[in-house]
Amino acid sequence: MAALSLRALTLRQLQFFSVLVEEGQFGRAAKRLAITQPALSNAIKQMEKLLGTELLTRSTHRLELTPVGAEVLARTDFLVNTFEVALRDIESTVQRGRAFVRIGVIPSASARVAAAASEFLATGPRDVELAWRDAPSNTLLAELRSGQLDMAVAAITEPPGGLTCIDLFRDPLVLVVRRDHALAATGGAHWEAIGKERLVLFESGSMPALGNPARAQFAQGAEPYRVSYSETLYALVRSGQALGLMPRLYTSSLRDPELVVLPLLKPRIERRVVLAYLPGPMRNVEAQALIAFLRDKLPQASEAGEAKVRRVSSKSTRARR
């Protein structure tokens, strides 16, 4: 009986519930949905009746999800987003005659992923259009779970639940210093050597999970500056106010004669860069093909990049000698 009741739920009811929670108020949600407040209220009550439980607690000024409501919302958002994305896919296929694939990528890996995607498109005649989304890893993984993305290249420190993850490569932390800094001539820095230096690092993403434990282990002194963008980080290093601590991927496009990138040694701290996607069937075969291509191509690009870094480092060392 319960299963039969659940099958009476409609997509429209789920959309109403999702928008109501997002707006947090019946009046705003009804206006956005272009329906009356009584109609919205009745739809939610009918949904609760079919489920046999309350989804929301109501008061004069606010709505709050019940524990069951929070679980239902997560699945509702997935269904609603997947439906909206599927409609856009159908529209794209009808109007353009091609599949639509959505890729999420952390900004630091965007150059490698874009280059690999271009190679994929060049492998043969492909009726596919790519849509790009760049954002921090936690945002990409959330959008992947909700069905807004087909795949994401993200950095993780722990396996994210509910997703399939393929390890691509490891991205170690490096130190960015001024060329006239004493460490610049060493070719590599130990954590003990920077114990009394002030650092600047990213305030979000994987850096808090990677940098903070290392700082605590080696009794780092002054509290570091925390910034959102690499341009600000480089500016603070260039001005002599701090040493930059960041994943190596961010430095791949750094072309600044005033700054030097040093590997951080003992211990070598790395983040995992993975290709993530939802388990189960893909919306189209082109998404499957691109995942397979990136899974093979991106680790090779990483190895080539590391070899280039080693060659540049060797030239720099010879020049100092």
Side-chain angles (χ1 to χ4, degrees):
M1 181 65 70
L4 291 175
S5 297
L6 285 177
R7 292 183 184 279
L9 281 172
T10 66
L11 178 63
R12 187 168 177 80
Q13 288 171 325
L14 296 176
Q15 289 172 322
F16 285 1
F17 178 54
S18 180
V19 171
L20 176 59
V21 174
E22 187 175 332
E23 293 294 340
Q25 201 262 349
F26 274 91
R28 290 196 299 268
K31 183 177 181 180
R32 176 172 160 187
L33 292 165
I35 61 174
T36 65
Q37 282 186 235
L40 176 57
S41 180
N42 288 336
I44 299 302
K45 287 178 181 177
Q46 182 64 22
M47 187 175 173
E48 290 177 324
K49 182 178 179 180
L50 291 171
L51 293 171
T53 185
E54 282 192 342
L55 301 175
L56 298 160
T57 57
R58 302 157 175 83
S59 66
T60 305
H61 301 292
R62 60 187 302 180
L63 295 172
E64 289 188 1
L65 286 166
T66 64
V68 173
E71 292 294 329
V72 172
L73 177 66
R75 290 152 181 80
T76 295
D77 283 345
F78 174 75
L79 288 171
V80 170
N81 286 330
T82 301
F83 177 74
E84 294 293 338
V85 169
L87 287 181
R88 290 196 292 270
D89 285 349
I90 293 171
E91 180 183 26
S92 176
T93 302
V94 171
Q95 293 183 351
R96 301 181 180 88
R98 60 181 63 181
F100 205 56
V101 177
R102 292 167 176 80
I103 309 171
V105 60
I106 50 175
S108 55
S110 58
R112 291 184 183 181
V113 178
S118 292
E119 287 191 42
F120 170 77
L121 294 174
T123 57
R126 292 191 174 276
D127 293 329
V128 59
E129 182 175 344
L130 304 182
W132 293 89
R133 166 74 162 135
D134 60 333
S137 294
N138 56 343
T139 300
L140 295 178
L141 296 178
E143 293 182 0
L144 190 58
R145 289 190 185 95
S146 68
Q148 297 175 69
L149 297 173
D150 292 302
M151 67 197 75
V153 175
I156 64 172
T157 53
E158 296 180 357
L163 297 174
T164 299
C165 288
I166 299 171
D167 277 288
L168 297 175
F169 52 86
R170 300 298 177 104
D171 187 22
L173 295 187
V174 295
L175 199 66
V176 182
V177 304
R178 278 170 51 126
R179 188 167 295 278
D180 58 2
H181 192 281
L183 288 173
T186 63
H190 293 269
W191 283 91
E192 292 90 339
I194 61 174
K196 296 181 180 179
E197 299 274 3
R198 187 157 200 172
L199 299 176
V200 54
L201 48 86
F202 295 129
E203 62 183 351
S204 61
S206 57
M207 280 308 301
L210 292 173
N212 291 342
R215 290 184 59 254
Q217 180 180 353
F218 294 103
Q220 290 285 315
E223 184 66 18
Y225 296 119
R226 301 181 189 276
V227 300
S228 298
Y229 301 101
S230 56
E231 291 87 348
T232 308
L233 186 148
Y234 294 144
L236 290 173
V237 176
R238 202 179 295 114
S239 67
Q241 297 184 55
L243 306 184
L245 180 65
M246 65 196 313
R248 185 176 63 193
L249 267 180
Y250 279 92
T251 67
S252 60
S253 59
L254 178 61
R255 304 289 185 271
D256 191 325
E258 296 183 50
L259 301 179
V260 173
V261 179
L262 300 174
L264 266 172
L265 312 171
K266 293 184 180 179
R268 178 183 164 101
I269 298 176
E270 303 170 314
R271 61 179 185 166
R272 292 168 57 193
V273 178
V274 300
L275 175 61
Y277 54 92
L278 280 169
M282 288 275 143
R283 288 203 315 273
N284 58 65
V285 294
E286 292 294 352
Q288 296 175 350
L290 180 56
I291 285 175
F293 188 88
L294 295 179
R295 180 184 59 205
D296 295 334
K297 185 66 181 179
L298 289 176
Q300 298 173 14
S302 174
E303 293 168 4
E306 289 185 6
K308 182 178 180 180
V309 168
R310 286 195 294 269
R311 288 197 298 271
V312 172
S313 177
S314 299
K315 290 178 181 179
S316 301
T317 302
R318 289 196 296 270
R320 285 196 297 269
R321 290 176 182 171

